[in-house]
Amino acid sequence: MIALSGPTFRHQTTLSILILIACFWTASALSGTKEGPEALFPDSSIVDFSFLLDPPAGKHGFLGVSANGQFRWPNGKRARFWGVNISNQSVFVDAATVDRVVATLARAGVNMVRFEALDADGGLLEDSAGRPLRSPDPTKLLMLDYWTWQLRQRGIYYYFDLLDLRTFRESDGVPDAALLGRAARPYAMFDPQLIALQKEYAEGLLLHRNPHSGLRYVDDPALALVEICNESGFFLRPGALERMPPRVGALLQGRWNAWLLARYGSRERLVAAWTLRDAPGAVLDETEDPARGSVRTPVLCGGGTVAGDARLSEARYRDGARFLAEVQEGYFREMRAYLRSIGLKVPLTGVTSHQFLGDTVASLPLDFTAGNYYCDHPAFQTGDWQGALHFSDANPLREIGINRSAPTVAALRWGRRPVVIREWAQPWPNRYRCVAPGEMVAYGSLQDADGFLLFGYHVAPRPDVLGDFDHQADPPVWGLMGPAALTYLRGDVRPSPTSIALRYPAADVLRAPGTVGDVLKLAWHVRVRSVFEDWPGAESWKPSWPATMQPEEGMRSLRSQKLPAGSWDGSVAVSSTGEIVRRTDRGVLIVRTPRTVVISGEIGGSTWTAGPLRLFTRSPVGTVWAVSLDGLPLSSSRRFLVKMVTNATNTDQRVTRAGVGAPAPYRLVSSGRAPVMTSGSMTPGGLRLALNNRLILAFDLVGGMWELLVDGNRASLFCDTRGATGSVFGHRVTVTAGRVITVQLAKDRHVSSPNTRTGKDHR
């Protein structure tokens, strides 16, 4: 883990030909030119980014949270995390595979792994014969022990989630287990029997002693973060309130009536409180009386509630929402207290939603907030993960909606707590997924977020092919993980100097639909956080605005106060730092900082200038990422990397237009097979790249993937497209499949005068 306020970065020594030869097979695998074992787990780059890590993980002690809401080590140094998710089925593999994967992650600069859904079917709660267990299987724990030990040695921290996809069973003593659904969402937040089982599982996992380290997991500071539950909550899943199995329904109704009786004392006072002067009418059925426990449980809009239901009357609905938020908050308090009681020291979270305010205000007991960002999540005709996969093939850079990257990150910033996007992806087969790493780094840095974990890294089975969330062999995404790690962990993109707080009164939180509003669009420009007015100390937030404010009004207010606000003209969104430009009219993102430049999106056919770089490409969609490796500005760096990725597909992958009534415009007909192909082709004048107004690369190439490493007076090029021809600093070269081409440069390498103005120039 890199300490951002700590000692100066340990930069790489001069990269030698031996290092380049050593990574030859991985570059070939990433291009999709090989099959078999040698094609598995390709490196992100020809550059080894493991210098970002600070092994062994845990050397600084247990992670904590500072008063200003950042992850800090005991010595006060800040911690940030850039990593991946490894899911249940990928964990239980042989030791040799673990060694290979951990080495690959380290080379990509990954400093955190979240182990996702360890409690799912086939995971820790089943033995090797598939028989269900109540406590983690000792044999499977040994495999997890080996993973965490190897990660620890490499300087990679790990993150556990506790209740994720568990199937509760009658053998657990749950009589209606078959009716609860996976993880019993959200019933596991209030059923004492289910909460007891969660504690039992947590104890079995966290008090287990790893034989390699000699430490119990609660005592291992390499375990940096823990998640109580995954994607649960009443407000996220309102339909669950209307189809509760009888046993859990009776439990919740009992708590609800006790809450009403304690609050109002009698049926008469309850009726008076719920009856509004301007909306008279029945608010209770004749049979409903809290003293008899007969007041029906609350409902939330969005769950299929029938219009006219008395439970939707304003005051009754508001009390119902308040009660449900308090139940969730109580669950988090109970679980946090229990985990602390067994010795767990690290920050805790629970994942609900970022759109529904009732979920977010219930998160007060948690140490950090966490959530997801997905663009073009798979959709299915007949239900979740059933039938053909459908997708929209959207380019998010053509939008500035509140469900896109920057507002999603900002929506998770409640109060003074760190924020982790613990799952992010623009899944295959979306053709624009190469824009996702740049979006995460750019807007995550602008919002000063604390961690980003790609979902996911697939280890078994078939890691040599692309899948919806399987990025381990995906050049458009995995090929940028190393450069992105350096840009993010080094802090190349500055946080906004302007920060605002949005105030949410109880009336907004507890009134349907209780969702975040358009004001979050300000996150494209400045840092945004939210605060619930009922929270202790809420009045101390300055400056703070009502969350009902419109983004245009907010921009005018910032300018009137002469605060950096960036700009929005209807087609171009510029951050308050001036470092991030989002061209919604062109579907392009430009990031320009002294040490990093990114040009991403629908960039084909035009010349783009960003900082010292000037690019022309005929590739319709792609990302070019340039990053200084010696810490100097790109304009004067003697050691830097420039990499370009475009699109990739499985061999024989087939997609078609979906029919009328389909859940998304495109349907995956066949996922195809290995190898993964980037489909580069030789096209005259396809690519020209200049640095400091001097031509450094000219290639007859469209599509494919390439990277140029400049190290002093040596330039090394890898390109995955066989037979592509061009020049590197004026040296004529022809690509040989899977080989790194190295040319010696003149002492003054900036000698040629380019003419890169092919087509219209865009900035």
Side-chain angles (χ1 to χ4, degrees):
M1 175 61 202
I2 190 162
L4 298 182
S5 59
T8 305
F9 269 72
R10 295 174 290 129
H11 298 300
Q12 291 172 291
T13 57
T14 303
L15 293 171
S16 66
I17 293 294
L18 289 176
I19 294 175
L20 296 174
I21 291 171
C23 65
F24 149 69
W25 74 268
T26 32
S28 299
L30 193 55
S31 72
T33 58
K34 290 189 174 184
E35 292 187 80
E38 72 276 14
L40 301 183
F41 312 120
D43 284 333
S44 173
S45 169
I46 61 174
V47 173
D48 183 350
F49 288 95
S50 63
F51 66 92
L52 291 166
L53 308 181
D54 188 14
K59 65 190 292 184
H60 299 296
F62 289 99
L63 187 69
V65 176
S66 66
N68 66 343
Q70 296 175 336
F71 289 134
R72 297 275 173 180
W73 301 117
N75 59 11
K77 296 174 183 176
R78 186 173 182 185
R80 295 175 93 178
F81 299 101
W82 179 257
V84 300
N85 283 261
I86 294 179
S87 295
N88 179 10
Q89 64 179 334
S90 289
V91 173
F92 307 109
V93 295
D94 59 273
T97 298
V98 174
D99 293 344
R100 191 167 183 175
V101 169
V102 171
T104 302
L105 297 178
R107 271 190 61 97
V110 164
N111 66 4
M112 175 168 277
V113 167
R114 174 175 175 257
F115 289 105
E116 188 258 355
L118 290 173
D119 63 344
D121 293 349
L124 292 178
L125 291 176
E126 288 184 2
D127 65 16
S128 56
R131 291 184 293 262
L133 303 170
R134 280 181 48 160
S135 296
D137 177 65
T139 302
K140 289 184 175 178
L141 275 175
L142 290 176
M143 196 69 253
L144 183 64
D145 293 338
Y146 190 72
W147 270 105
T148 58
W149 170 246
Q150 289 300 314
L151 292 171
R152 192 179 199 273
Q153 296 304 102
R154 290 277 188 164
I156 302 174
Y157 289 80
Y158 59 99
Y159 173 141
F160 284 160
D161 64 344
L162 298 178
L163 178 60
D164 194 324
L165 294 178
R166 179 174 181 173
T167 299
F168 289 100
R169 306 177 189 277
E170 289 189 11
S171 58
D172 297 329
V174 182
D176 54 354
L179 304 176
L180 300 178
R182 59 184 188 179
R185 300 164 173 161
Y187 317 128
M189 288 183 155
F190 63 85
D191 181 346
Q193 190 172 14
L194 299 178
I195 292 173
L197 288 168
Q198 292 173 66
K199 293 176 180 178
E200 181 181 70
Y201 171 74
E203 185 171 334
L205 174 62
L206 297 173
L207 298 186
H208 167 75
R209 191 177 301 276
N210 187 325
H212 303 286
S213 66
L215 298 172
R216 301 180 305 168
Y217 281 119
V218 293
D219 300 323
D220 185 3
L223 172 59
L225 301 172
V226 171
E227 186 175 301
I228 294 170
C229 66
N230 169 59
E231 297 172 23
S232 190
F234 296 111
F235 299 86
L236 177 61
R237 301 177 180 277
L241 289 167
E242 299 180 61
R243 54 174 182 266
M244 286 189 288
R247 185 184 65 84
V248 292
L251 286 171
L252 190 62
Q253 183 168 331
R255 286 188 62 169
W256 166 235
N257 279 267
W259 187 88
L260 291 174
L261 202 58
R263 189 175 182 86
Y264 295 107
S266 69
R267 186 181 192 277
E268 292 71 27
R269 293 177 62 184
L270 176 59
V271 170
W274 282 1
T275 302
L276 302 180
R277 292 179 183 176
D278 56 350
V283 293
L284 284 178
D285 292 345
E286 291 182 0
T287 59
E288 291 184 299
D289 184 344
R292 295 200 300 266
S294 56
V295 180
R296 291 175 295 161
T297 49
V299 292
L300 296 170
C301 287
T305 317
V306 178
D309 189 326
R311 291 176 293 178
L312 295 179
S313 62
E314 183 177 339
R316 180 167 178 167
Y317 185 96
R318 186 169 58 244
D319 263 357
R322 186 186 298 275
F323 164 74
L324 294 171
E326 288 184 12
V327 170
Q328 289 188 196
E329 181 179 339
Y331 164 75
F332 288 136
R333 289 191 186 281
E334 179 178 354
M335 288 300 299
R336 186 181 189 277
Y338 172 75
L339 293 169
R340 292 284 181 252
S341 76
I342 65 171
L344 188 66
K345 306 171 185 66
V346 298
L348 287 160
T349 193
V351 176
T352 52
S353 71
H354 65 269
Q355 301 102 333
F356 296 99
L357 300 172
D359 277 337
T360 54
V361 301
S363 67
L364 181 60
L366 303 173
D367 302 306
F368 70 101
T369 57
N372 304 340
Y373 172 70
Y374 288 113
C375 173
D376 204 0
H377 193 285
F380 299 88
Q381 189 83 57
T382 56
D384 289 348
W385 312 107
Q386 297 177 20
L389 182 152
H390 290 73
F391 65 107
S392 66
D393 208 33
N395 177 3
L397 300 180
R398 288 192 173 271
E399 304 176 33
I400 58 160
I402 62 169
N403 292 321
R404 292 302 180 212
S405 56
T408 295
V409 177
L412 286 166
R413 179 78 74 185
W414 279 78
R416 291 186 176 90
R417 284 178 292 177
V419 169
V420 177
I421 302 294
R422 50 91 210 220
E423 294 180 14
W424 67 266
Q426 191 162 326
W428 169 89
N430 183 292
R431 290 177 299 154
Y432 302 94
R433 61 191 184 277
C434 66
V435 309
E439 274 217 280
M440 289 297 95
V441 168
Y443 292 109
S445 298
L446 184 73
Q447 295 300 322
D448 201 24
D450 303 86
F452 291 87
L453 309 178
L454 174 67
F455 195 90
Y457 193 94
H458 189 66
V459 180
R462 294 304 308 278
D464 56 342
V465 295
L466 302 177
D468 42 15
F469 299 106
D470 304 337
H471 299 288
Q472 67 289 334
D474 190 10
V477 178
W478 184 247
L480 294 176
M481 283 293 285
L486 177 56
T487 298
Y488 175 67
L489 295 175
R490 189 167 61 182
D492 286 3
V493 181
R494 291 184 292 129
S496 170
T498 304
S499 179
I500 62 168
L502 304 177
R503 300 191 312 270
Y504 286 92
D508 290 346
V509 173
L510 304 176
R511 181 189 299 124
T515 53
V516 296
D518 278 354
V519 69
L520 281 173
K521 290 180 181 178
L522 288 170
W524 298 114
H525 312 285
V526 300
R527 279 187 289 167
V528 179
R529 70 178 69 236
S530 300
V531 61
F532 183 40
E533 287 186 350
D534 283 8
W535 279 357
E539 70 283 351
S540 67
W541 289 98
K542 307 292 182 185
S544 64
W545 297 341
T548 53
M549 177 179 282
Q550 291 301 306
E552 297 81 6
E553 184 183 356
M555 292 290 281
R556 287 194 297 269
S557 178
L558 290 172
R559 292 192 189 102
S560 70
Q561 299 175 61
K562 302 189 183 308
L563 294 171
S567 63
W568 166 247
D569 66 2
S571 62
V572 181
V574 181
S575 67
S576 57
T577 60
E579 293 181 337
I580 309 170
V581 179
R582 188 182 190 86
R583 295 286 305 267
T584 59
D585 57 338
R586 300 295 306 276
V588 170
L589 177 72
I590 294 176
V591 181
R592 48 194 185 194
T593 80
R595 295 184 293 192
T596 289
V597 168
V598 180
I599 304 170
S600 181
E602 299 172 54
I603 57 179
S606 298
T607 298
W608 301 90
T609 299
L613 282 192
R614 184 182 292 272
L615 167 76
F616 172 80
T617 178
R618 296 191 188 280
S619 299
V621 178
T623 294
V624 172
W625 201 301
V627 62
S628 164
L629 298 173
D630 57 12
L632 298 174
L634 271 171
S635 57
S636 57
S637 175
R638 299 288 293 173
R639 190 163 64 250
F640 63 90
L641 176 73
V642 186
K643 180 160 188 174
M644 182 172 183
V645 298
T646 55
N647 191 22
T649 63
N650 291 326
T651 300
D652 297 333
Q653 171 185 319
R654 288 194 300 125
V655 169
T656 188
R657 280 273 186 183
V660 176
Y666 295 93
R667 178 169 61 89
L668 181 66
V669 176
S670 173
S671 59
R673 57 183 174 82
V676 174
M677 306 300 294
T678 59
S679 303
S681 63
M682 291 176 285
T683 301
L687 172 71
R688 297 172 75 84
L689 180 71
L691 175 68
N692 295 331
N693 211 33
R694 295 292 184 268
L695 190 66
I696 64 173
L697 189 67
F699 247 72
D700 296 334
L701 176 67
V702 168
M705 179 272 289
W706 58 266
E707 50 188 320
L708 176 68
L709 171 65
V710 176
D711 187 7
N713 293 328
R714 177 185 294 147
S716 300
L717 175 74
F718 172 80
C719 178
D720 68 354
T721 304
R722 183 179 307 172
T725 60
S727 64
V728 179
F729 288 96
H731 294 263
R732 195 72 182 166
V733 297
T734 300
V735 171
T736 302
R739 293 190 179 278
V740 176
I741 300 169
T742 302
V743 299
Q744 203 69 27
L745 307 181
K747 191 169 184 180
D748 179 6
R749 64 172 180 263
H750 303 306
V751 290
S752 345
S753 179
N755 177 15
T756 61
R757 294 182 178 272
T758 307
K760 188 177 179 182
D761 186 16
H762 295 277
R763 294 176 183 269

